[in-house]
Amino acid sequence: MLTKRIIPCLDIKDGQTVKGINFVNLRQAGDPVALAARYAHEGADELVFLDITATVEKRKTLAELVRRVAQQINIPFTVGGGIGQVDDVRLLLQSGADKVSINSAAVRRPVLIDELAREFGSQCVVLAADTNLVEGEWFVFTHGGRRATHLKLKDWLREAVDRGAGEILLTSMAHDGTKQGFANALTAEVSEMLPVPLIASGGAGTMAHFGEVFQEGKADAALAASVFHFGEIPIPALKKYLETLEIPVRI
Amino acid sequence: MRVAVIKYNAGNIQSLLFTLARIEGLEVLVSDRAEVIQGADKVIFPGVGEASSAMESLRAAQLDRIIRDLRQPFLGICLGMQLMSRKSEENETTCLDIFEGEVKKFEAVSAAEGLALKVPHMGWNKLTNLRGDLFAKVAEGSFAYFVHSYYAALTVDTIATCSHGEAFSAALQKGNYYGVQFHPEKSAETGLQILKNFLAL
């Protein structure tokens, strides 16, 4: 049986992790390569790197970083942030990334999804969507959640999958950073509606929250950042906990 | 040891090359040239993408005949493995006809269990019913990373099984030809062991 995936997310700026990291015995706390290796060793099922580097010229730093990470780890990893065209993706894949996640650029130009799926295959196209409730309806937001769009979430996700997205990374902005749990009802609705795997993101604070997003939220994978970075939830302990709930995990 | 990785129009192989680079004593050659492939000690046939265009690309380079005549250990990965079957439902493609059986598409609803299934089958799943040297030192029930929408049915050539709605071939073998549906280069220590086992054949 396919296991539920646990995915740590690293925010990267200029080749370093942005948030403070609190791993014991890790000298270069900000070094994404060391962190990636550590997470892989601890049993992370995949990794996501989100590049928040503002300037285009510094993007080359990202490809270099991807190459260094790919040389170190042998679990799948996804790179996102600022990807706008086919050539951006080619460079990242040639550097050793397995998948890319696209967000604002796909909203601006949806045919980007078709282009990427045709060129590299759906399996490496992750459509990331940030969403929030506006007068009772879930809408898509772009630019790190700062910009509202007219797109209704479910319409957009259906379109994205039709265009060739192989996976969805869904972040509920109202839950993100709260540590009060994932948006389980929304996650379940979206997961059951779509034929492709769904990664839930935003709101992880306790091990129970992960159990809930898999059982109630029907998510295929759960992504989190700070609870892993600060050592609040060690991945091995999380997986053991999920196993006691009879949720299939890779141990 | 010289390892040829067959170059053709089927996806990104960087992860595989990085993983092979971590194994000592290998000279890895990425090539579509007959003499390089025929002269290698081991041949790896990777592949991500769509079956009919991949087969077209192989035939255009006459690699289809070269592959079928090899005598050294040969390992197809993911689409590479599927192309070693007789045919694939993916755009009704006639394949290399090395392994018994056909490649079919996962149904979005499991016939066996009546449950809605996610397609592609993406993520970590258990390897079961392991047979032979490819799985030396690999425990029954070890996890491997899969990404695929089509699968090879169980046949006499099956040397490992997995299940997604129904049981399918996680690995196949006939003589010197091996194929794995999962990505050993993305399957952590288990995957590395399987690659090392292949290289030790």
Side-chain angles (χ1 to χ4, degrees), chain A residues 67-129:
Chain A
R67 177 169 289 270
R68 285 168 53 224
V69 169
Q71 284 169 335
Q72 288 293 321
I73 66 167
N74 45 10
I75 59 172
F77 79 104
T78 302
V79 180
I83 292 166
Q85 48 198 340
V86 170
D87 285 344
D88 297 338
V89 175
R90 183 173 291 113
L91 177 64
L92 292 170
L93 296 181
Q94 283 172 351
S95 302
D98 298 292
K99 314 179 199 179
V100 294
S101 96
I102 51 172
N103 190 330
S104 306
V107 171
R108 191 166 59 241
R109 205 171 67 84
V111 75
L112 176 65
I113 303 170
D114 305 66
E115 291 169 3
L116 295 179
R118 194 167 54 234
E119 187 73 22
F120 307 110
S122 287
Q123 83 291 335
C124 77
V125 183
V126 181
L127 187 282

